[in-house]
């Protein structure tokens, strides 16, 4: 049986995807934002799915997760510039940059 290697980039994609899902749920519960629930769930599931693809041997899984993370950072920067509120945009920017750095470092090999 072949062993599965979970590298830091995969862990970062799963963690950031999980946070996106949780953030969407919290946004829905606090202010009834269906947009937060939908966007958080979709982006989180895409990140986790990309990590799973990488685990299954698809070399493009982690680059896909990095691209999704970069897009989320851009979205949250736009949101932060409009609201100037740290939560949730500022936190997701900081965590996204960290996750993206880990993914890119892992891809660099």
């Amino acid at each position: 049986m072949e062993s599965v290697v979970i590298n830091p980039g995969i862990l970062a994609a799963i963690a950031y995807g999980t946070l996106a899902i949780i953030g969407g749920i919290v946004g829905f519960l606090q202010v009834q934002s269906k947009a937060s629930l939908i966007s958080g769930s979709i982006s989180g599931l895409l990140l986790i799915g990309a990590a799973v693809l990488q685990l299954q041997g698809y070399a493009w899984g982690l680059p896909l997760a990095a691209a999704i993370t970069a897009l989320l950072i851009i979205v949250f920067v736009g949101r932060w510039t409009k609201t100037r509120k740290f939560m949730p945009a500022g936190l997701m920017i900081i965590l996204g940059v960290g996750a993206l750095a880990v993914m890119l470092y892992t891809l660099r090999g």
Side-chain angles (χ1 to χ4, degrees):
M1 185 168 148
E2 194 174 316
S3 64
V4 175
V5 177
I6 299 179
N7 61 46
I10 292 170
L11 288 175
I14 292 169
Y16 195 58
T18 302
L19 286 172
I21 293 169
I22 292 169
I25 293 169
V26 169
F28 178 74
L29 293 175
Q30 286 184 342
V31 293
Q32 301 302 305
S33 172
K34 290 181 184 176
S36 290
L37 180 62
I38 293 167
S39 62
S41 297
I42 290 172
S43 59
L45 290 172
L46 285 172
L47 281 165
I48 293 168
V52 169
L53 288 171
Q54 183 73 31
L55 281 171
Q56 292 177 341
Y58 293 94
W60 49 270
L62 193 53
L64 175 62
I68 294 166
T69 301
L71 288 172
L72 285 172
I73 292 168
I74 292 167
V75 167
F76 283 116
V77 165
R79 197 171 293 167
W80 181 78
T81 56
K82 287 180 183 176
T83 66
R84 297 284 186 210
K85 293 181 180 177
F86 181 74
M87 289 298 288
L91 179 64
M92 290 302 283
I93 292 167
I94 292 168
L95 296 175
V97 168
L100 183 59
V102 171
M103 290 177 211
L104 293 176
Y105 181 79
T106 301
L107 285 169
R108 199 177 124 176

